[in-house]
Amino acid sequence: MSRPSYCVLVLCFAVLLFGSLSSATDISFDGRGLKIDGERTLILSGSIHYPRSTPEMWLDLIKKAKEGGINAIETYVFWDAHEPVSRQYDFSGNLDLVRFIKTIQNEGLFAILRIGPYVCAEWNYGGFPVWLNNIQNITFRTNNEAFKHEMRNFTTFIVNMMKHENLFASQGGPIILAQIENEFGNVKNGYYGQDGKDYVQWCADLALSFDVGVPWIMCQQKDAPQPIIDTCNGFYCDGFTPNNENSPKMWTENWSGWFQDWGDRRPHRTVKDLAFAVGRFFQYGGSLMNYYMYHGGTNFGHTSGGPYITTSYDYDAPLDEYGNLQQPKWGHLRNLHLILLSVQKTLLYGYRRDIDYGNMMSATVYNYEGKCVAFLGNANESEDFTINFQDNNYTVPRWSVTVLPDCFTEVYNTAKINSQTSIMVNRPNQADDGSEPYKLQWVWRRETIEDIKKNGLVRDSVITTNKLLDHLSVTNDTSDYLWYMTRLDINPGDPFCDKTVTLYVHTYGHVLHAFVNSRFIGTQFAINGKYEFVFEKNVKLKPGTNDISLVSVTVGLQNYGDDIKDVPIGIHGPVQLIDYAANVTKDLSSNEWIYKVGIHGIKQQLNKVHTRHQHNWRAEALPTNRPFVWYKTTFPSPLGTDPVVVDLLGLGKGEAWVNGRSIGRYWPSRTAPKDGCPYKCDYNQPYTGHECATNCGKSTQRYYHIPREFLDDRENVLVLFEEFGGTPDDLTVQTVTVGTVCAHAYDNNNLQLSCQGGRVFTDIRFASFGDPEGTCGSFKRGTCEAPWALSYIQNNCLGRESCVIPVSEYYLGPTSCHSSEYRLAVEAVC
Ligand code: GAL
């Protein structure tokens, strides 16, 4: 073979050079916005955390975001997941950050990379690997050499990985912004003093030294050094001003809902309010806004933080936990995004003028190259206002923003929703012939109750010492479970012999189980966000040797606060036996304690599909309400493409695996408070995370997502470790899909109605165009209505997966009354 000629080589080199140069994007900024290749660009971004879904879901989520008018995807980088052991890295499966960013790129969207590496995010330990604790003299997030060394190491690793794959915009990639740290400004002042200030400067210097060719941001960091852009996080950021007039107004976290704790209600933020917040932000000069979250997803395995963050991280986001469109949230925001994008040039380049009408009513006008855009904002919580704007009257409902893209036509008001509401239903997994819901058959095994053997030792114990140790210092978070075991000899003459006395344990949580002489004594767990508690239960000690085994259990490690490393966990003491009647106490805190990490079944890999311990499962006498039991069953994959969940109602608390993969901790027996869920969800005031809560008195989380990629075509194995006691009798595998579709749309709009998963409309339960009343499920006819609404919708929607209804008298017929605004109400069944 001949060697390539010099000319060919030069040509190749030129192509390479030209190719990479031509695809590079220049990212800069000024006080009005981020500039992409010199052009100010409006960024509407959505957070999707790659480990909270599966690689197979990513494309669909990103496509749905794109279709929803989103032009950038934001994610954190999860240090503890990528570096589970110091200097051993993992980017496999749903940790494949490069694949995630490339999926964003292939869809033509921008990416925002929040490297942190502290991320908060309701993620275990805020994203810090727990092995950091073992580094001498380390203090997190301050001017501490040991910490800075580790932070530099990991951030450098990530930046180099992105550079190597040409993922920064400066290299032709999609990443237009990078973040260092996370909301450090919220903690540092009170806690770290000057060291905190030095650390902020160090973070900035570190970030800039990476020379990535895109701007860096710090969120909630008033003293972010130039040229780092300080950004805002919150439910509203219209009043935010960056710390430098050359920095654009950016909103890195617009909380689309809120997270949920075990034992708490389910939070909801109305789309009306969310759209209002977005409208206000862009009315007042915003240039970049990111929904936290656009898709929340699932905390698989032990990734949830807290303590006590649920396995679902649905967040009430525009895409629900499973990736379904959450309607009307997705659609109503989409309509707003499309309008904002269509006028972005005028917003980012135009001359801005604010008009104050008093009573929290304002107008903002942008003029540029003969074009005019206006926002009419009513932040009054109780009154609608009609104002005269440029010789026309506009009625702006309370707590809403109207957008006039040409300073004349009202095309959008944040309080008037013109997209469908989808009511999701769960359908049971059917047996092969499609007739009956598939009935699960169970086998079970006991979990070993660890105790001290005759020789005074414990199999696989890690430490024996005369004091009570912090839970995390022993487990290093390699398991949720830590056994604290001690032995005491009771003489027949001992005042505690053969008598019912109290076992007293002071613990910092999160859960405690006690066994005496291998007999279960009781369980207690932290409630109401207070993790420190006292366990007191009656016990009876026999003459001779008595063994006490206490199991301390964590339920996610703290992710927020200025001292997460110093938060005590587990049994710090005292541990005592108390005879309250006789007023005598025996303190066991300085006894010899033997520690063992984890549960035996995990060591035996009972959670895996094929192990040598398969044969010890029993089919008979299925136990109910017994703590420390393993259950196993098999089930066929549900047909179709709709997302799959398992309903675990009936169980206590534990962890579930499907085909060997953890779908997370479960705790369906934990219920939300009975009160605090409003009858009607409608507020016109600043959202705080509590208005519109649902699920009062019900199981905090009964459904657990099984991503379809975890499933096998033939048979699937579901394994449960039940820690509290419950019954698996009624468990069912189900699919989640759109059941009913409702709409309440205003005239002169096009209403799109859609089912999901290939299903079609089978019935139109209600249709009226005029002045109908009520809400989805209880619509009522008004005083007038157009004659053809029902038949038009029947003709155009029945038998179809989706249909478009032009909401106007032309198609639906003349309405027989005079209203300023006609509405269409529809209820259809998929
Ligand atoms: C912010 C934080 C996020 C997330 C959010 C609440 O303060 O930056 O990571 O924790 O709160 O969901």
Side-chain angles (χ1 to χ4, degrees):
M1 202 160 67
S2 67
R3 301 169 61 156
S5 73
Y6 174 75
C7 286
V8 172
L9 279 179
V10 167
L11 188 69
C12 289
F13 182 66
V15 166
L16 270 178
L17 187 72
F18 181 73
S20 68
L21 279 185
S22 68
S23 57
T25 314
D26 177 61
I27 311 290
S28 59
F29 62 89
D30 63 14
R32 287 294 289 279
L34 204 61
K35 290 180 175 175
I36 301 200
D37 279 337
E39 184 89 3
R40 288 187 198 132
T41 306
L42 198 83
I43 305 294
L44 300 174
S45 168
S47 291
I48 300 178
H49 294 158
Y50 51 98
R52 286 177 155 145
S53 52
T54 60
E56 293 78 2
M57 289 169 72
W58 293 342
L59 181 62
D60 180 57
L61 297 174
I62 291 164
K63 275 183 186 294
K64 284 172 173 162
K66 183 177 174 182
E67 212 188 312
I70 291 292
N71 61 8
I73 302 293
E74 179 276 345
T75 185
Y76 281 129
V77 178
F78 298 87
W79 185 2
D80 62 330
H82 292 306
E83 197 177 351
V85 176
S86 176
R87 307 304 180 258
Q88 288 181 29
Y89 297 97
D90 185 0
F91 288 87
S92 62
N94 66 353
L95 297 177
D96 192 343
L97 175 60
V98 168
R99 173 168 167 189
F100 183 69
I101 303 287
K102 287 189 173 169
T103 312
I104 297 170
Q105 180 174 27
N106 290 341
E107 283 308 299
L109 302 189
F110 299 120
I112 300 173
L113 194 65
R114 300 210 287 165
I115 301 177
Y118 168 71
V119 297
C120 195
E122 291 68 72
W123 188 265
N124 198 47
Y125 221 34
F128 283 145
V130 174
W131 53 258
L132 287 176
N133 291 354
N134 301 330
I135 298 173
Q136 265 204 334
N137 298 327
I138 198 165
T139 309
F140 298 166
R141 304 178 74 198
T142 186
N143 199 15
N144 169 283
E145 291 311 317
F147 177 74
K148 289 191 299 186
H149 176 76
E150 290 300 324
M151 174 163 164
R152 180 199 303 275
N153 186 74
F154 181 70
T155 46
T156 307
F157 191 94
I158 294 298
V159 165
N160 287 346
M161 180 182 239
M162 297 297 106
K163 278 188 179 172
H164 182 256
E165 299 285 340
N166 292 325
L167 292 176
F168 287 105
S170 51
Q171 305 173 289
I175 303 172
I176 52 168
L177 278 181
Q179 179 180 299
I180 193 86
E181 247 295 337
N182 188 74
E183 292 195 335
F184 185 67
N186 285 4
V187 295
K188 75 150 202 198
N189 289 335
Y191 194 68
Y192 294 112
Q194 186 57 41
D195 271 350
K197 294 201 173 79
D198 294 345
Y199 170 65
V200 170
Q201 186 62 50
W202 177 84
C203 287
D205 293 343
L206 175 70
L208 297 173
S209 75
F210 290 137
D211 202 15
V212 295
V214 306
W216 285 87
I217 55 174
M218 281 188 173
C219 58
Q220 297 288 94
Q221 195 68 52
K222 263 284 147 233
D223 59 352
Q226 283 297 295
I228 311 269
I229 306 170
D230 71 314
T231 66
C232 180
N233 292 348
F235 289 116
Y236 308 90
C237 279
D238 47 285
F240 168 76
T241 317
N243 65 11
N244 187 292
E245 58 180 20
N246 294 322
S247 297
K249 180 168 170 172
M250 295 184 172
W251 188 3
T252 27
E253 290 181 27
N254 176 5
W255 300 320
S256 55
W258 202 238
F259 55 83
Q260 194 186 5
D261 288 341
W262 295 116
D264 218 342
R265 306 162 189 91
R266 191 164 306 147
H268 296 281
R269 184 180 187 189
T270 61
V271 67
K272 237 170 74 165
D273 178 44
L274 188 53
F276 168 72
V278 177
R280 296 278 294 178
F281 182 69
F282 289 104
Q283 170 172 0
Y284 290 114
S287 68
L288 174 150
M289 185 268 319
N290 172 64
Y291 293 104
Y292 186 100
M293 303 295 297
Y294 196 78
H295 169 254
T298 309
N299 292 312
F300 298 112
H302 295 185
T303 57
S304 68
Y308 273 25
I309 300 293
T310 52
T311 293
S312 167
Y313 196 61
D314 180 89
Y315 218 91
D316 202 31
L319 300 179
D320 75 10
E321 178 184 358
Y322 321 119
N324 300 314
L325 302 187
Q326 211 234 115
Q327 292 280 43
K329 207 170 238 186
W330 181 88
H332 189 50
L333 294 175
R334 172 181 191 264
N335 294 345
L336 176 56
H337 300 155
L338 298 184
I339 293 160
L340 291 171
L341 290 173
S342 72
V343 296
Q344 59 171 307
K345 203 145 193 196
T346 315
L347 297 184
L348 297 178
Y349 284 92
Y351 168 75
R352 173 179 145 194
R353 190 164 51 95
D354 294 324
I355 308 163
D356 187 2
Y357 290 86
N359 284 325
M360 312 291 286
M361 178 72 220
S362 61
T364 301
V365 188
Y366 289 87
N367 285 99
Y368 184 66
E369 290 183 340
K371 294 211 170 113
C372 179
V373 178
F375 294 87
L376 311 179
N378 181 357
N380 195 296
E381 296 174 16
S382 50
E383 280 182 67
D384 306 343
F385 289 118
T386 301
I387 54 155
N388 189 276
F389 172 74
Q390 299 190 354
D391 294 336
N392 288 295
N393 283 343
Y394 297 90
T395 300
V396 188
R398 66 201 74 173
W399 206 250
S400 80
V401 176
T402 293
V403 190
L404 316 175
D406 56 358
C407 279
F408 173 68
T409 324
E410 171 175 339
V411 296
Y412 189 89
N413 173 274
T414 55
K416 296 180 186 169
I417 298 173
N418 287 310
S419 38
Q420 77 175 42
T421 296
S422 302
I423 300 186
M424 308 304 287
V425 288
N426 285 16
R427 293 173 200 258
N429 194 13
Q430 307 278 282
D432 282 350
D433 61 4
S435 58
E436 292 287 309
Y438 189 83
K439 177 90 185 124
L440 301 172
Q441 308 291 332
W442 293 93
V443 291
W444 70 283
R445 281 181 58 141
R446 262 182 225 168
E447 170 57 35
T448 310
I449 304 305
E450 300 291 350
D451 57 5
I452 301 172
K453 305 291 165 220
K454 281 220 176 66
N455 57 8
L457 300 176
V458 171
R459 193 178 37 186
D460 303 326
S461 61
V462 284
I463 294 174
T464 302
T465 179
N466 284 76
K467 56 181 182 193
L468 291 161
L469 299 174
D470 182 76
H471 181 117
L472 205 54
S473 71
V474 184
T475 63
N476 272 313
D477 205 31
T478 50
S479 167
D480 282 357
Y481 300 91
L482 177 63
W483 297 80
Y484 293 68
M485 288 168 276
T486 195
R487 167 164 285 184
L488 72 159
D489 289 316
I490 300 282
N491 301 322
D494 192 296
F496 287 87
C497 187
D498 231 354
K499 204 169 173 198
T500 301
V501 294
T502 303
L503 172 64
Y504 173 105
V505 184
H506 174 256
T507 177
Y508 287 98
H510 312 134
V511 177
L512 185 83
H513 305 281
F515 299 86
V516 172
N517 297 326
S518 297
R519 258 198 51 229
F520 176 68
I521 299 299
T523 291
Q524 200 170 319
F525 53 86
I527 50 170
N528 298 336
K530 195 169 174 317
Y531 300 100
E532 179 183 356
F533 64 87
V534 166
F535 171 101
E536 283 193 293
K537 290 267 164 19
N538 286 346
V539 295
K540 203 165 179 185
L541 301 178
K542 58 181 198 230
T545 304
N546 289 272
D547 288 330
I548 299 182
S549 299
L550 305 174
V551 194
S552 169
V553 188
T554 48
V555 192
L557 301 185
Q558 187 163 325
N559 57 267
Y560 183 73
D562 42 25
D563 57 350
I564 61 172
K565 196 166 92 54
D566 303 329
V567 176
I569 308 178
I571 306 165
H572 284 229
V575 176
Q576 295 171 328
L577 291 167
I578 306 175
D579 184 344
Y580 280 112
N583 200 17
V584 276
T585 299
K586 198 188 271 289
D587 196 284
L588 309 179
S589 311
S590 310
N591 263 31
E592 181 176 89
W593 287 93
I594 305 181
Y595 293 83
K596 179 168 177 173
V597 177
I599 47 174
H600 195 59
I602 290 287
K603 203 161 171 247
Q604 290 180 303
Q605 302 192 326
L606 300 185
N607 54 334
K608 301 287 176 213
V609 182
H610 300 292
T611 70
R612 61 199 167 82
H613 296 279
Q614 288 307 329
H615 54 280
N616 288 335
W617 294 89
R618 297 164 57 182
E620 77 288 359
L622 196 74
T624 56
N625 292 326
R626 182 146 118 196
F628 284 61
V629 174
W630 290 82
Y631 293 107
K632 185 159 82 164
T633 190
T634 56
F635 65 94
S637 292
L639 298 173
T641 56
D642 284 322
V644 180
V645 295
V646 57
D647 179 0
L648 296 184
L649 199 65
L651 290 180
K653 173 187 179 295
E655 183 168 352
W657 294 263
V658 172
N659 296 334
R661 298 167 80 170
S662 173
I663 58 168
R665 296 187 187 98
Y666 67 79
W667 196 348
S669 62
R670 191 79 188 100
T671 52
K674 288 204 172 62
D675 56 342
C677 293
Y679 163 68
K680 199 170 157 221
C681 168
D682 192 13
Y683 58 91
N684 297 298
Q685 70 206 37
Y687 181 66
T688 62
H690 304 291
E691 300 79 4
C692 289
T694 59
N695 218 36
C696 281
K698 296 195 184 139
S699 165
T700 311
Q701 188 186 343
R702 63 184 281 188
Y703 301 108
Y704 295 80
H705 184 204
I706 308 175
R708 284 228 172 234
E709 302 70 44
F710 285 19
L711 297 175
D712 206 290
D713 284 349
R714 280 156 297 155
E715 189 180 71
N716 303 286
V717 181
L718 170 65
V719 177
L720 310 167
F721 170 58
E722 174 53 53
E723 174 191 328
F724 277 25
T727 167
D729 273 349
D730 295 330
L731 298 201
T732 48
V733 174
Q734 305 174 355
T735 53
V736 183
T737 193
V738 176
T740 307
V741 167
C742 283
H744 203 189
Y746 294 80
D747 57 1
N748 296 322
N749 281 285
N750 270 345
L751 175 67
Q752 167 140 15
L753 301 178
S754 303
C755 294
Q756 185 180 290
R759 248 175 221 96
V760 297
F761 286 108
T762 53
D763 187 19
I764 309 297
R765 280 207 195 122
F766 184 92
S768 175
F769 180 52
D771 56 355
E773 287 168 13
T775 52
C776 190
S778 60
F779 284 133
K780 284 196 199 77
R781 292 176 202 295
T783 52
C784 61
E785 68 179 347
W788 313 321
L790 181 64
S791 58
Y792 184 89
I793 294 169
Q794 282 171 334
N795 289 342
N796 286 280
C797 299
L798 287 179
R800 305 221 168 113
E801 282 177 48
S802 72
C803 53
V804 178
I805 314 295
V807 186
S808 81
E809 288 186 299
Y810 181 81
Y811 294 96
L812 307 178
T815 51
S816 50
C817 60
H818 293 287
S819 160
S820 61
E821 231 169 9
Y822 297 120
R823 291 186 309 277
L824 170 69
V826 184
E827 184 179 332
V829 182
C830 290

